[in-house]
Amino acid sequence: MPDILSGMQYISEKHRKRTRKDGHDYARPGWYFVTIVTRYRLPFFGEIVQGVNRLNAAGIVVEQAWHDLPERFPIIRLDAYVVMPNHLHGIIGIRRPTDDLPVVSLSRIVGAFKSLTTNAYSDGVIERGWEPFEGHLWQRSFHDQIIRSRSHLDHVRAYINDNPRNWEADDDHPGRHPRQP
């Protein structure tokens, strides 16, 4: 069914591309590399100037929400991360569940992060005059990689660390993708 507002082809939930690996239990202990992108790749969280990441107040709020995730989900550990102008890359470790550490899935963790940051950002729009967003702050879903080796973990850490310096060539750079409603 065509989308009358944009002329774009409508893709129903049923036909959307699955982003998780079939058969993998995302509550299973392990390390995961996640990328969470703002809707339309809009740069709400700051800017990159000569390869240096400069978070604005909204970016600092997003960064704090990331740091606070282990308080909400004690079963996780956070590793390398970077809040970019329009996305976040981070490594999440999920530990083995115990009586004190209940099972939690990667989707639930990312969903909570998106919800918390959307609410905080909405407050910033009202109280601090931050740029408003249309509909949703974040794109639907998120990208992930299951980290299966120490060398993969080291590669992802380096990628995250180098992300601000590589901003102009980044696939998530807003200049590389025209806005599509």
Side-chain angles (χ1 to χ4, degrees), residues 20 26-27 34 36 69 72-76 92 94 101-116 142:
R20 308 284 82 77
Y26 281 88
V34 298
I36 309 165
L69 280 174
R72 186 177 196 88
F73 302 106
I75 197 165
I76 70 169
I92 298 174
I94 299 178
L101 298 173
V103 174
V104 64
S105 71
L106 187 62
S107 290
R108 183 162 168 224
I109 296 161
V110 172
F113 173 77
K114 286 176 156 184
S115 177
L116 293 166
F142 60 96

Side-chain angles (χ1 to χ4, degrees), residues 32-107:
Y32 301 91
F33 171 42
V34 298
T35 301
I36 309 165
V37 183
T38 61
R39 189 166 186 217
Y40 306 127
R41 292 183 171 83
L42 293 174
F44 291 122
F45 309 135
E47 62 184 349
I48 305 294
V49 178
Q50 297 179 345
V52 176
N53 197 1
R54 295 189 179 163
L55 296 179
N56 59 21
I60 292 167
V61 166
V62 168
E63 183 175 57
Q64 187 60 52
W66 183 257
H67 282 285
D68 292 346
L69 280 174
E71 292 174 23
R72 186 177 196 88
F73 302 106
I75 197 165
I76 70 169
R77 292 183 184 169
L78 300 178
D79 197 273
Y81 76 93
V82 63
V83 177
M84 296 291 287
N86 65 354
H87 65 281
L88 175 138
H89 292 300
I91 299 172
I92 298 174
I94 299 178
R95 296 186 282 172
R96 224 173 274 302
T98 65
D99 291 340
D100 296 331
L101 298 173
V103 174
V104 64
S105 71
L106 187 62
S107 290

